[in-house]
Amino acid sequence: MEKAVEAKIIESSDQKILSDASNVTKKSSLSWTHALWQSRIAYVFVAPTVLVILLLVIYPLIQGIWFSFTDMNQFNMGSRFTSPSYEFIGIRNYLDVFTGAGTAFYQVLRQSIIFTFTSVFFHILIGLGLALLLNQKLRGRTLFRTLLLVPWAVPSFVSAFSWRWLFNAEYGFFNLVLKKFGYTQIEWLSDPFWAMFAVIITNIWLGFPFMMVSFLGGLQSIPESLYEAAKVDGAGAIRRFFFITMPMLRSVTFTVMLLGIIWTFNLFHVIYLVTGGGPFGMTDILPTYTYMEAFQRWEFGMASTYGVIILSLLIVFTNIYSRMVKSSV
Amino acid sequence: MSNLSLKNLSKVFDAKTVVLRGINLEITQGEFVVLVGPSGCGKSTLLRLIAGLEQPTEGEIFIDGVSVAHKPPVERDIAMVFQDYALYPHMTVAENMTFGLKIRKVPKAVIAEKLKTASKILGIESLLDRKPSQLSGGQRQRVAIGRAIVREPKLFLFDEPLSNLDAKLRADMRIDLSALHQRVGQTSIYVTHDQQEAMTLADRIVVLDKGEIQQVGTPIEVYNKPANVGVATFIGSPTMNLFTGELLFEGNKKTFRFGDNALEMGDGFDTPLKPGSYKLGIRAEDLTLGIPENEKNETSIRAKLLVKEVHGHEIQVVAEVGGARIISRVSERDLMSRITGMHKGSEIYLPVHGGNLHWFENTQHGARI
Ligand SMILES: Nc1ncnc2c1ncn2[C@@H]1O[C@H](COP(=O)(O)OP(=O)(O)O)[C@@H](O)[C@H]1O
Ligand SMILES: [Mg+2]
């Protein structure tokens, strides 16, 4: 009896809401200018942000895409004395890139992938390992946690320069150590393999603290009672790791992996400061190569093309990735 | 032979926080024992010692005669239901329930059989493929209990399993738990701070306070003969009325003086054998409202009406006597209608049922006389 009355009340109020809603849509379709006028305050508030984004993000983006279809370089870009004379050349830049004519796209792409995935793999491995250690109730773990954040706290260009010195062939720490123990010294920064090794090591050093902190946060958000329930269920330490810790860290892992890959793929300063892309472009990755195209070879059209390609690769990657995450969670 | 036996068990945290001391307890096969006590008194710690999640500082634990005090949980064959349920969020209900069996390498067919039986008992057959996040609080609770019963352990441990449910659901689950215990019949130790839960569920109640066992007994024993002031005021709702005063013997007449009140001990009143300083406890149902003719009686307590709490089947009359509160339960209909007409501040007389008085020493501990 009571239930029925209640249901009726809900029904009638639903109808009221519905009819209200249809009124609103009718009104707004009558005069959208009226609606615009009504919410004018809101537009005033978002206007500065929209303006800044238009100016700093959208405009350069569109301009960059436009340049990628031109042959713009230092001679035809125009100056105070000459007017610009670069021309629309359609997709010729893109054809050059993908056919490998006159640019080292595939080599640089391969180097980018090696650099990115090796770095992120070790970031996650070291970050997770340290996080697991620091999550134990060890003595002095606060001190260690602080010390392990040092690579992150020091400005990264300072670290990058320090590493360059450590790898220096004549005075560098590593070669001095090798010499002391009677091994042959290594031309760290002029041998293609070791140069890649050096930038990856530097980047691992710079990047693991973020992963460590993320994983530590993830670990600390796992309720202790889950482990206790598992103990009572009879799970030993190894089973608890694989059946509780790992699954509970999954979403953190997915997130930091995505961020890590995007950041590393776009990373410029480490390579620029440690090897400058050398020897002979053997440690260039796409962002540093793009920089060289623009500001060493002054091929702005080609540099823009590379910019657009990097952007597209990351968009495609992010899409595939988020679909993967969605389907697996 | 007792199923679980605790001998002189103590637990000290960080070499200074004494949480439990000298716990001795024998629990027989099939009993439902409720550990009850105020928050922080060490109930969970005691349960975790039994489960093997903590190591005792001193003492012994025997399960079926085997000493387990220093064995890991896996060797104790116990199951525990946690306050926050502790369901594995990434596993389905079925996986949650069978995790322990899989670890113990029970054959697949047997696992399926046990899962089926347990989920049927608990009425969660339709939920087996869901993740814990897709369940309501009450359903999670059932799954947590299901995870315990599929294992058919020697001991069930419950740590405040109902405290996260709303009042209605809690009352329902209480009944379900009682029925479940009657059906499964396995020894259970149940921790709660809710004395009502303790009273309704327990075969035996263990009252714990300040890390020590205050009293062990059936719910009726603990209610009717609380061992000390602490137990008396903790068990029972509303809280037992307690007065500190002097018992005077004058010839044949015995009078209890407290504040500016004097309560004469009538015929059939229980009193201590010697005069002196005591605490007198009177349960609310042992005080009624005086009926008009003999309202002003020497065996009544004179008080000022403060609040009338209407419960429907009864009215709890809260009054003031000598600066202290006194609560009486009135359930006869004509008295109930009489009290509804009274105002705050009215003088009322509360006749005492002298046969159910509780006398305690006037000390900190306040042992029962
Ligand atoms: N791991 C621990 N370290 C230090 N003190 C603890 C620890 N666990 C519990 N305690 C203390 O022991 C006391 C009893 O805790 P607990 O057994 O959880 O009480 P209850 O379950 O009865 O509320 C509390 O004062 C609590 O602070
Ligand atoms: Mg507790």
Side-chain angles (χ1 to χ4, degrees):
Chain A
M1 173 67 190
E2 245 176 56
K3 275 254 168 73
V5 172
E6 212 176 271
K8 230 183 214 150
I9 291 171
I10 289 172
E11 217 175 81
S12 63
S13 68
D14 266 6
Q15 270 163 7
K16 194 167 174 299
I17 290 168
L18 280 178
S19 60
D20 278 1
S22 63
N23 275 349
V24 168
T25 46
K26 247 181 246 160
K27 235 185 251 161
S28 68
S29 65
L30 275 180
S31 72
W32 61 271
T33 44
H34 177 72
L36 201 68
W37 178 244
Q38 273 193 327
S39 43
R40 60 192 182 280
I41 294 281
Y43 288 98
V44 172
F45 280 133
V46 295
T49 317
V50 171
L51 207 70
V52 168
I53 290 178
L54 277 177
L55 218 68
L56 295 182
V57 179
I58 308 292
Y59 173 69
L61 181 68
I62 291 172
Q63 198 188 38
I65 294 174
W66 158 241
F67 286 162
S68 74
F69 294 105
T70 69
D71 63 353
M72 185 192 227
N73 60 31
Q74 76 193 87
F75 305 111
N76 61 19
M77 69 183 287
S79 69
R80 262 187 299 170
F81 312 108
T82 57
S83 55
S85 59
Y86 57 87
E87 283 169 359
F88 178 75
I89 54 167
I91 59 166
R92 212 176 71 210
N93 284 335
Y94 290 91
L95 285 177
D96 283 352
V97 167
F98 292 121
T99 56
T103 93
F105 175 69
Y106 291 106
Q107 182 204 330
V108 175
L109 181 65
R110 201 180 63 236
Q111 285 161 191
S112 290
I113 289 172
I114 292 171
F115 177 71
T116 302
F117 285 87
T118 318
S119 295
V120 173
F121 177 78
F122 283 104
H123 282 158
I124 286 178
L125 198 71
I126 295 171
L128 179 60
L130 288 173
L132 286 169
L133 269 181
L134 288 182
N135 200 38
Q136 308 296 311
K137 291 189 181 76
L138 298 174
R139 247 201 282 159
R141 75 173 166 167
T142 328
L143 177 71
F144 276 112
R145 202 179 311 188
T146 315
L147 282 180
L148 286 168
L149 287 177
V150 164
W152 205 20
V154 174
S156 55
F157 78 90
V158 174
S159 306
F161 272 130
S162 310
W163 279 96
R164 186 160 92 178
W165 273 107
L166 294 176
F167 284 118
N168 183 285
E170 274 170 65
Y171 315 108
F173 172 77
F174 295 118
N175 270 355
L176 290 184
V177 170
L178 287 178
K179 191 171 169 189
K180 181 140 194 197
F181 290 98
Y183 292 99
T184 34
Q185 301 189 340
I186 295 172
E187 294 288 323
W188 295 103
L189 299 179
S190 36
D191 178 279
F193 173 80
W194 291 112
M196 186 53 101
F197 178 86
V199 287
I200 288 175
I201 293 287
T202 306
N203 189 38
I204 290 172
W205 157 266
L206 283 169
F208 79 81
F210 171 78
M211 301 288 177
M212 182 186 82
V213 170
S214 304
F215 280 121
L216 201 54
L219 285 172
Q220 285 173 350
S221 71
I222 304 176
E224 187 61 29
S225 66
L226 287 187
Y227 290 108
E228 294 185 337
K231 274 186 209 169
V232 171
D233 266 341
I238 293 169
R239 277 213 183 80
R240 290 201 297 274
F241 180 75
F242 284 107
F243 287 104
I244 310 289
T245 310
M246 291 303 279
M248 295 296 285
L249 284 181
R250 228 171 64 175
S251 67
V252 176
T253 312
F254 270 127
T255 311
V256 294
M257 207 190 276
L258 177 67
L259 288 175
I261 287 172
I262 291 176
W263 287 343
T264 313
F265 201 77
N266 267 335
L267 197 71
F268 173 78
H269 65 282
V270 171
I271 288 185
Y272 186 73
L273 294 177
V274 175
T275 62
F280 313 110
M282 300 299 274
T283 57
D284 260 331
I285 60 173
L286 287 171
T288 58
Y289 190 79
T290 306
Y291 175 85
M292 297 300 171
E293 281 289 351
F295 301 109
Q296 303 265 301
R297 295 188 277 278
W298 308 101
E299 292 287 350
F300 296 115
M302 188 49 97
S304 300
T305 308
Y306 269 93
V308 172
I309 290 172
I310 294 174
L311 180 69
S312 317
L313 284 175
L314 286 177
I315 288 175
V316 169
F317 172 77
T318 310
N319 260 310
I320 295 172
Y321 187 89
S322 62
R323 214 159 295 164
M324 252 166 56
V325 172
K326 247 183 230 147
S327 69
S328 69
V329 172
Chain B
M1 188 177 61
S2 61
N3 191 198
L4 173 73
S5 137
L6 308 178
K7 299 240 193 286
N8 196 29
L9 210 56
S10 303
K11 178 69 185 173
V12 182
F13 281 113
D14 312 324
K16 57 183 191 293
T17 321
V18 183
V19 174
L20 292 170
R21 65 178 88 77
I23 302 288
N24 287 295
L25 190 63
E26 302 289 328
I27 294 175
T28 49
Q29 178 67 41
E31 252 190 314
F32 198 112
V33 172
V34 176
L35 285 175
V36 68
S39 283
C41 72
K43 305 179 295 291
S44 295
T45 307
L46 182 51
L47 208 62
R48 294 162 57 81
L49 285 174
I50 298 169
L53 296 171
E54 302 278 1
Q55 295 292 307
T57 311
E58 223 178 282
E60 268 297 345
I61 301 171
F62 297 93
I63 296 178
D64 284 350
V66 180
S67 165
V68 296
H70 299 285
K71 288 187 176 169
V74 61
E75 290 173 40
R76 300 187 185 203
D77 199 11
I78 37 107
M80 185 158 170
V81 176
F82 293 82
Q83 182 168 2
D84 63 354
Y85 317 139
L87 298 177
Y88 311 123
H90 50 283
M91 298 185 197
T92 63
V93 167
E95 287 166 344
N96 261 284
M97 285 171 67
T98 55
F99 185 58
L101 295 174
K102 279 182 195 145
I103 286 179
R104 286 178 169 73
K105 306 226 159 59
V106 176
K108 273 214 172 78
V110 180
I111 292 181
E113 192 54 43
K114 288 187 174 187
L115 176 66
K116 205 170 142 196
T117 317
S119 52
K120 202 162 174 187
I121 293 176
L122 292 163
I124 51 174
E125 299 119 303
S126 59
L127 307 176
L128 293 180
D129 294 327
R130 295 209 197 156
K131 293 271 176 72
S133 59
Q134 300 164 305
L135 301 177
S136 70
Q139 290 170 333
R140 281 180 211 182
Q141 183 59 70
R142 280 168 194 279
V143 175
I145 292 170
R147 183 168 65 181
I149 64 177
V150 286
R151 291 244 321 274
E152 297 171 19
K154 289 200 182 107
L155 266 184
F156 283 115
L157 307 177
F158 298 89
D159 193 355
E160 312 221 11
L162 305 187
S163 60
N164 288 340
L165 303 178
D166 62 60
K168 174 88 175 65
L169 203 52
R170 203 176 326 161
D172 290 347
M173 277 306 289
R174 221 160 56 199
I175 295 168
D176 288 352
L177 272 175
S178 275
L180 181 72
H181 179 247
Q182 274 159 27
R183 179 168 179 165
V184 179
Q186 196 54 278
T187 315
S188 304
I189 304 174
Y190 185 104
V191 159
T192 179
H193 67 268
D194 180 346
Q195 57 88 23
Q196 197 187 2
E197 227 168 272
M199 296 291 287
T200 50
L201 278 170
D203 292 331
R204 265 200 309 161
I205 287 182
V206 176
V207 185
L208 207 62
D209 194 16
K210 302 184 191 82
E212 285 177 284
I213 292 182
Q214 304 294 322
Q215 187 170 9
V216 181
T218 64
I220 294 293
E221 279 167 7
V222 173
Y223 188 80
N224 287 340
K225 297 211 172 335
N228 56 48
V229 169
V231 177
T233 49
F234 186 74
I235 300 287
S237 170
T239 308
M240 181 191 277
N241 298 298
L242 203 64
F243 309 100
T244 308
E246 296 291 326
L247 183 66
L248 305 172
F249 285 30
E250 290 154 6
N252 267 345
K253 221 171 84 175
K254 296 176 184 175
T255 317
F256 184 67
R257 286 188 178 280
F258 59 99
D260 54 358
N261 249 286
L263 179 65
E264 197 169 299
M265 299 289 113
D267 293 337
F269 274 46
D270 284 334
T271 53
L273 298 172
K274 279 183 278 185
S277 174
Y278 294 103
K279 284 178 173 151
L280 169 60
I282 309 173
R283 291 224 181 264
E285 63 267 29
D286 297 327
L287 287 170
T288 39
L289 201 63
I291 38 176
E293 303 87 78
N294 58 353
E295 199 168 64
K296 215 168 183 172
N297 189 311
E298 257 53 68
T299 57
S300 301
I301 294 173
R302 176 166 42 88
K304 264 206 184 75
L305 178 63
L306 277 179
V307 173
K308 298 165 282 186
E309 276 199 321
V310 180
H311 289 252
H313 66 291
E314 67 175 26
I315 294 180
Q316 292 184 4
V317 179
V318 185
E320 192 210 305
V321 54
R325 284 212 183 133
I326 180 167
I327 302 181
S328 149
R329 299 168 66 173
V330 178
S331 56
E332 287 146 60
R333 283 183 194 268
D334 48 338
L335 285 180
M336 275 163 71
S337 56
R338 207 157 77 78
I339 195 87
T340 1
M342 294 177 131
H343 300 290
K344 187 180 174 215
S346 316
E347 190 157 89
I348 53 173
Y349 285 84
L350 304 166
V352 176
H353 296 305
N356 297 334
L357 299 184
H358 305 270
W359 294 93
F360 304 101
E361 289 170 357
N362 186 14
T363 56
Q364 176 85 19
H365 180 64
R368 182 181 189 84
I369 306 275

